[in-house]
Amino acid sequence: MSNPVINYEKELNEAQYEAVFVTEGPALVIAGAGSGKTRTLVYRVARLVELGVNPESILLLTFTRKAASEMMDRASQLLDVRCRAVSGGTFHSTANYILRRYGDLIGFPGYSIIDRGDCAEVVGYIVGELGIKRKELKLPRNSTIVDIISKAINKSMKVPELLETYYPHLTDLSDTINVLAGKYDEYKKTHMVMDYDDLLVKLKKLLVEFPGVCRALGNRYRYIMVDEYQDTNPLQAEIVELLGKDHRNVMVVGDDSQSIYSFRGADIRNILEFPGIFPDAKIIKLEENFRSTQPILELTNAIIERARQKYTKCLFTSKSGGIRPQLVVARDEAEQSCWIVEKIDSLRREGIPLREMAVLFRSSFHSFDLEVQLSKGSIPFAKYGGLKFAESAHIKDLLAHLRVFLNPHDRLSWNRILKLLPGVGQATANKVIKWLNADVPSLDRFKEYAATQKGKMKVLLDLVRLFDALSDPDLDVKDLVAITIKYYEPILTQKFDDYPKRARDLSYLQEWSAPFESLEQFLTDMALEPPEVNRAPSDFAERADFLTLSTIHSAKGLEWRIVFIINAANGYFPSRHSLLSDEDMEEERRLMYVACTRAKEQLYIVYPETGRDSYYGSVMLEMSEFMRGLDGTLTDVVTAAESLHGGGRQFRRAKKGISSVKTSRGFNIKAGDVFRHPDLGMGVVLEIMDRNRARVYFKKLGIRVIDLRTVKEGQWVVR
DNA sequence: GTTCAACCTCTTTTT
DNA sequence: GAGGTTGAAC
C-alpha cells in the first residue's frame, strides 16, 4: 500500500470528478462514447476502497466478465490489490453465484446451465414426445421457438401476445407454441436445469419471495455500480432496484444513444426512467470525448443527430486535426476484401501494429470472404462474435461426456454422446436412455446395461471404459479434459474433414480448463462466460500481433486507432430484417453510431456496389442509408480501385488520360478489359500504369502488376 | 427398422 | 457451416 495518493483533480475532468465523489446515494451517469466512462468507474472503485469500504461489498455489474476484471485490474494499479476483491461480473454470473447459495429456497438446490443450443434440443425432444407433426403444422425451427419463449420472458409478455406483435405469421400456431412453452418450463424443473433467462427470473423470485434474503444481500452489496445500463432489460432493472432499496447506493452508467440490445429485451426506458425510480438521483453527464479526432466526431455526431429520438447529450473534443473518414466504394465483395487486405498491409508497413486496427461488421457471416483473403495475405487475425467457440459441435461433443460424468441425469448429453458411437443412431440412443431412466440413472446402471449387450452394441463398452478412467479421484479438471480428448479424438477425425483445426481448439480447451478447481465450476463457466474468441490466431508467433475482426455488438466498449466498417450497404447494414420497422431502423442507426465511435484516428467505411442473392444472383446495392447525405460532406468518397496502393498518384495519372495503351506487340489495352493470363488465370484490368505496366485484378490471387510486353493478343477478351 | 451420406436451405446481433 | 430432409444401403 505504498502507492502515492491518487490525484483525482488532476487526472479527471470536472464531470468525471463529480461522478467519482458522489459515493453515497443514487446517481445516473450519462456517458457519451469515448468520454472516459471506464476511467470514471475505475477511479470510483478506487475511491470507495480508499475510503475504507470493504471491497467485497462493492458490486460491479458489467456486460462481460472481461470488462469487470479489467476495471478491477486498473483500480488495483491505481490504488492497491484490495480492488481485486471487488464483487464483479455479469448479471448472469452474479445471479448464478447467489442462486448456488440460496437456490434450495426456490426449489433449485442444484442445477446445470444450458445454452441456447441445448434449449433448442429440449424443445425438439418435447415436440417428439408430444407427437406433434412438424411438417403438417409448419412448425418453425426449434431455435425460433426458443427465441419466442425467451423474448416473451424478457419483455414480460404472454406468448400469444408476443406472437401478434413480433411474429404475426405464426399466430395460427399460438396454442401449440404456448403448450410447448409450458412443457419446456416443466422439463427444466424436473431435470434441474436453467437457461440464461431463468438465472434472472429465479433471482428476482428469490428477492421478492424472501425479503430476509433480499435484505441480507442488500447488506452485503452496499455499493452497486452498473455499467452499460442502456442495455439492461426491465428484469435486470428490477433486480438492481431490489438489491439497492435499503441503502440506495446505486450508480448506473450508460449512454442512451448506444443502446443496441433491444432484440434481447433491453429497454432504453430503463436508463431514461432511472430518476423516476430514484427521484433524488444525481444526474451527471460526461460529454467530453477523449477518443476520436474532430473529423470522426463530426461524422458520428451527424449520424446520431439524424435519429428520430432526441438524445440527452452532445459530444465535443479538444483534439483538432486528423483525416476525414473515408467512404470506400468497391465493385463487389471480393474487391472489398482485397482492398482491406492491401490497406491493412500498407498500414502495417507504415509501422502501425495490427492490434491497433479492427474490421467491424453487422453480422458475423459478413466477414467470411475477408477471412479467406486475410489468410491468403498472411495477416493473422482473431474473430469475435458470431458462433461461439463453446457452441461449435466438437466442443459441445466433448463437454457432453463430462456433463454426463458429472450428472448422469442429463439426458441431452447422453443423447449426444451415444449418437457419436458408430452404429448408434436416434433409435438406439432412445432405447438406452429409456432403460437408464426406468430407475435412477447412474453410471453404474449404464455399465450394467452395456455389459449385457452383444455384437455391434459392444461399442457401449468404450464409453464405460471412459467413465472408469475419469473416476480416479486424484485427477484434476485438466486431466479429466485430457482423458476425454483422447477418447474423443478418433471420433473427431472421423466426423470432421477439418479435424486438425478442431483438434487445436480442443487443446486450447484443455489449457483453458486448467485453473478450475472443480468440474462443476468449469462446466458452469463454459456456459456462462466461455472463451470469447472464436477464431484465434493459430500459432504463437501470430499471437504477438494480430488484427481484430468483430461484430459491432462484440466491439462495444472497445477502441482502435484504425477502424474499418465493411458491408455498409442497405440490406447488410442496416440489416434487411430491420428495413421495414422504424424502431429497428433506429437501433441499426445506433449500431452504426457505436461502430464509428470505436475509431480514434482513422475510419474507413466500405461497401460493395454489387452483392449476391440466392434468388436474383448478382444485385445492385446502395450505400447504407446512415451515410446518405454525409458522403462527400463529412466523408471523402473514393473507389477501392483508385485508393489501392496509395492510389493518389496513380489516380491523377489515370485522370491525365492513360486509360488505354498500345502495347509493344501492337494492340490496344484499356481498363476494364477481361484477360486470361496463362499462369494467373482470369483477370480484369483495373488500371494502365504506363506503357508497359498494368494493374490487374485476378480472381484467384487478387491484384498483381503485370508486364504488358509479355502478353500476346490472343489472351485478351474484349468486353 | 435403422444408420448415414448426400443434398438442401438459410445465415442478425448475445448472456 | 450447421440444421433439416431424403433416400440408398445395411
Side-chain angles (χ1 to χ4, degrees):
Chain A
M1 296 198 199
S2 56
N3 281 10
V5 183
I6 303 167
N7 190 345
Y8 294 96
E9 275 182 60
K10 199 173 140 223
E11 290 162 39
L12 301 170
N13 72 6
E14 209 176 306
Q16 293 172 337
Y17 183 88
E18 194 189 351
V20 168
F21 276 78
V22 179
T23 50
E24 303 290 319
L28 165 65
V29 179
I30 302 282
S35 64
K37 178 190 67 169
T38 305
R39 185 180 183 82
T40 305
L41 283 169
V42 165
Y43 275 76
R44 190 165 188 269
V45 167
R47 176 62 188 165
L48 286 169
V49 174
E50 192 184 49
L51 285 172
V53 170
N54 175 6
E56 283 182 16
S57 68
I58 301 172
L59 179 62
L60 179 60
L61 293 169
T62 57
F63 220 64
T64 61
R65 176 178 42 192
K66 203 171 127 227
S69 116
E70 274 173 16
M71 283 187 216
M72 277 140 65
D73 276 344
R74 281 175 59 180
S76 304
Q77 280 165 23
L78 208 57
L79 188 69
D80 58 59
V81 291
R82 283 178 295 171
C83 298
R84 280 262 37 140
V86 165
S87 313
T90 61
F91 271 93
H92 291 86
S93 66
T94 304
N96 175 59
Y97 177 79
I98 296 172
L99 289 171
R100 292 281 173 204
R101 173 141 177 224
Y102 296 105
D104 52 335
L105 292 176
I106 51 163
F108 279 90
Y111 55 88
S112 348
I113 296 166
I114 57 175
D115 70 15
R116 255 341 220 279
D118 299 331
C119 299
E121 272 176 59
V122 171
V123 168
Y125 164 73
I126 295 168
V127 169
E129 283 288 286
L130 294 178
I132 292 174
K133 306 258 182 305
R134 272 220 111 79
K135 285 187 87 178
E136 240 168 73
L137 285 173
K138 292 208 181 121
L139 206 61
R141 338 161 96 187
N142 294 334
S143 56
T144 309
I145 298 175
V146 173
D147 283 346
I148 292 168
I149 296 173
S150 170
K151 218 168 188 173
I153 289 168
N154 281 299
K155 301 219 177 218
S156 312
M157 291 169 92
K158 297 251 178 263
V159 169
E161 192 190 343
L162 182 104
L163 289 175
E164 297 251 333
T165 359
Y166 295 99
Y167 300 82
H169 59 289
L170 295 178
T171 43
D172 286 352
L173 291 167
S174 192
D175 291 343
T176 314
I177 295 177
N178 210 9
V179 169
L180 285 174
K183 289 276 171 197
Y184 173 70
D185 230 35
E186 253 171 55
Y187 178 98
K188 289 185 299 182
K189 258 182 221 127
T190 48
H191 289 81
M192 290 295 182
V193 293
M194 289 202 201
D195 60 24
Y196 294 131
D197 300 328
D198 286 328
L199 289 168
L200 301 180
V201 171
K202 304 287 190 263
L203 174 57
K204 186 192 149 192
K205 188 177 150 95
L206 176 76
L207 296 177
V208 170
E209 290 178 9
F210 296 86
V213 174
C214 186
R215 222 167 300 126
L217 288 167
N219 232 343
R220 151 134 204 213
Y221 301 120
R222 307 265 335 154
Y223 294 87
I224 300 176
M225 279 183 254
V226 189
D227 193 12
E228 311 280 11
Y229 196 67
Q230 76 282 356
D231 286 323
T232 54
N233 65 30
L235 200 53
Q236 291 167 318
E238 284 176 85
I239 289 171
V240 170
E241 197 185 335
L242 284 162
L243 284 175
K245 71 176 175 210
D246 285 341
H247 52 68
R248 301 167 52 78
N249 294 324
V250 178
M251 173 180 274
V252 301
V253 183
D255 178 1
D256 44 340
S257 36
Q258 292 187 65
S259 161
I260 53 174
Y261 277 89
S262 72
F263 68 91
R264 192 172 103 182
D267 198 326
I268 203 163
R269 278 174 299 187
N270 273 2
I271 192 163
L272 300 175
E273 287 170 6
F274 185 80
I277 296 168
F278 294 101
D280 53 333
K282 270 248 168 56
I283 299 174
I284 300 162
K285 291 186 184 181
L286 308 183
E287 293 178 300
E288 182 177 357
N289 179 296
F290 297 98
R291 180 183 293 154
S292 309
T293 58
Q294 186 66 33
I296 293 174
L297 204 60
E298 274 171 25
L299 176 68
T300 57
N301 276 339
I303 291 171
I304 205 68
E305 264 162 30
R306 288 162 183 234
R308 279 189 319 148
Q309 186 176 355
K310 282 292 156 244
Y311 293 96
T312 46
K313 70 212 153 307
C314 182
L315 294 183
F316 63 94
T317 178
S318 48
K319 282 188 188 174
S320 55
I323 58 172
R324 290 219 291 188
Q326 308 275 301
L327 191 61
V328 182
V329 190
R331 202 169 310 133
D332 51 23
E333 198 184 2
E335 193 182 81
Q336 172 178 264
S337 302
C338 180
W339 182 81
I340 298 267
V341 171
E342 297 256 330
K343 185 73 193 179
I344 287 174
D345 218 34
S346 90
L347 289 165
R348 178 154 70 155
R349 280 198 302 273
E350 279 171 33
I352 300 173
L354 292 173
R355 81 183 86 86
E356 313 253 28
M357 308 185 230
V359 181
L360 307 181
F361 32 85
R362 173 66 181 84
S363 311
S364 70
F365 70 91
H366 288 168
S367 67
F368 287 168
D369 187 73
L370 180 61
E371 288 170 44
V372 174
Q373 297 307 323
L374 287 168
S375 305
K376 277 191 199 161
S378 309
I379 297 178
F381 64 90
K383 184 175 171 181
Y384 297 82
L387 189 72
K388 284 276 175 3
F389 176 74
E391 287 162 359
S392 49
H394 52 301
I395 302 294
K396 295 207 74 167
D397 283 350
L398 193 99
L399 294 177
H401 292 91
L402 293 166
R403 285 166 67 159
V404 164
F405 176 67
L406 184 70
N407 173 17
H409 292 261
D410 187 340
R411 84 178 297 143
L412 286 184
S413 298
W414 271 116
N415 193 49
R416 185 168 196 118
I417 66 175
L418 287 168
K419 277 171 31 184
L420 290 172
L421 297 167
V424 179
Q426 191 58 68
T428 311
N430 282 345
K431 215 158 68 191
V432 177
I433 292 169
K434 203 168 169 198
W435 194 87
L436 282 172
N437 282 288
D439 200 333
V440 180
S442 70
L443 295 180
D444 283 337
R445 195 167 154 78
F446 176 68
K447 204 168 180 176
E448 208 179 293
Y449 182 83
T452 64
Q453 298 301 304
K454 297 188 186 69
K456 243 172 63 176
M457 285 303 104
K458 284 199 159 184
V459 287
L460 293 181
L461 291 170
D462 290 350
L463 261 180
V464 171
R465 275 189 287 276
L466 170 68
F467 293 137
D468 281 343
L470 293 175
S471 298
D472 182 345
D474 291 335
L475 300 172
D476 60 25
V477 179
K478 194 179 171 186
D479 298 330
L480 296 176
V481 174
I483 290 170
T484 314
I485 290 177
K486 208 159 181 198
Y487 163 84
Y488 178 65
E489 236 155 22
I491 302 174
L492 179 87
T493 328
Q494 201 268 322
K495 188 172 166 188
F496 301 101
D497 293 339
D498 57 346
Y499 61 88
K501 200 174 89 200
R502 292 177 192 258
R504 274 203 300 278
D505 284 350
L506 293 179
S507 50
Y508 178 68
L509 183 74
Q510 191 182 329
E511 235 175 86
W512 174 270
S513 73
F516 290 92
E517 279 171 17
S518 76
L519 187 56
E520 185 188 38
Q521 271 180 33
F522 171 59
L523 292 175
T524 298
D525 228 65
M526 283 302 291
L528 234 38
E529 326 217 33
E532 61 210 307
V533 179
N534 58 23
R535 197 283 186 197
S538 50
D539 63 55
F540 283 95
E542 287 186 351
R543 285 191 204 181
D545 187 35
F546 55 84
L547 175 73
T548 297
L549 303 192
S550 176
T551 58
I552 296 160
H553 285 89
S554 297
K556 188 163 82 154
L558 304 175
E559 59 178 30
W560 294 270
R561 277 174 69 187
I562 296 166
V563 167
F564 300 87
I565 298 167
I566 56 171
N567 282 317
N570 289 335
Y572 291 105
F573 187 11
S575 155
R576 65 190 168 85
H577 300 277
S578 303
L579 296 172
L580 295 176
S581 142
D582 287 351
E583 219 177 292
D584 290 350
M585 282 299 278
E586 288 288 287
E587 180 144 318
E588 297 284 321
R589 176 180 291 281
R590 292 193 294 269
L591 203 49
M592 181 61 92
Y593 176 72
V594 169
C596 292
T597 51
R598 300 306 97 201
K600 293 202 270 190
E601 294 171 14
Q602 296 179 36
L603 173 61
Y604 299 90
I605 298 151
V606 196
Y607 78 96
E609 282 181 307
T610 54
R612 293 234 137 258
D613 185 288
S614 49
Y615 287 116
Y616 304 109
S618 181
V619 291
M620 298 294 290
L621 298 172
E622 11 169 58
M623 167 198 323
S624 174
E625 86 169 60
F626 308 130
M627 290 296 146
R628 197 179 299 150
L630 307 177
D631 50 318
T633 59
L634 295 178
T635 61
D636 291 331
V637 184
V638 292
T639 66
E642 283 164 14
S643 150
L644 277 171
H645 284 304
R649 211 179 69 231
Q650 284 137 10
F651 180 46
R652 273 198 303 280
R653 192 184 297 161
K655 262 192 167 167
K656 249 195 284 170
I658 308 184
S659 58
S660 125
V661 73
K662 194 164 192 168
T663 66
S664 52
R665 286 181 186 251
F667 63 98
N668 280 312
I669 294 175
K670 62 178 190 304
D673 281 357
V674 176
F675 151 74
R676 182 185 297 281
H677 190 278
D679 302 323
L680 306 175
M682 292 293 281
V684 55
V685 178
L686 294 176
E687 179 195 357
I688 310 293
M689 296 165 71
D690 55 41
R691 266 188 63 91
N692 299 322
R693 291 183 308 152
R695 193 165 36 239
V696 179
Y697 174 69
F698 289 102
K699 223 172 162 180
K700 284 189 201 139
L701 300 147
I703 291 179
R704 287 283 190 283
V705 174
I706 61 157
D707 186 341
L708 294 174
R709 288 167 298 190
T710 64
V711 292
K712 301 189 187 80
E713 186 164 13
Q715 292 168 348
W716 294 91
V717 191
V718 180
R719 258 215 285 233

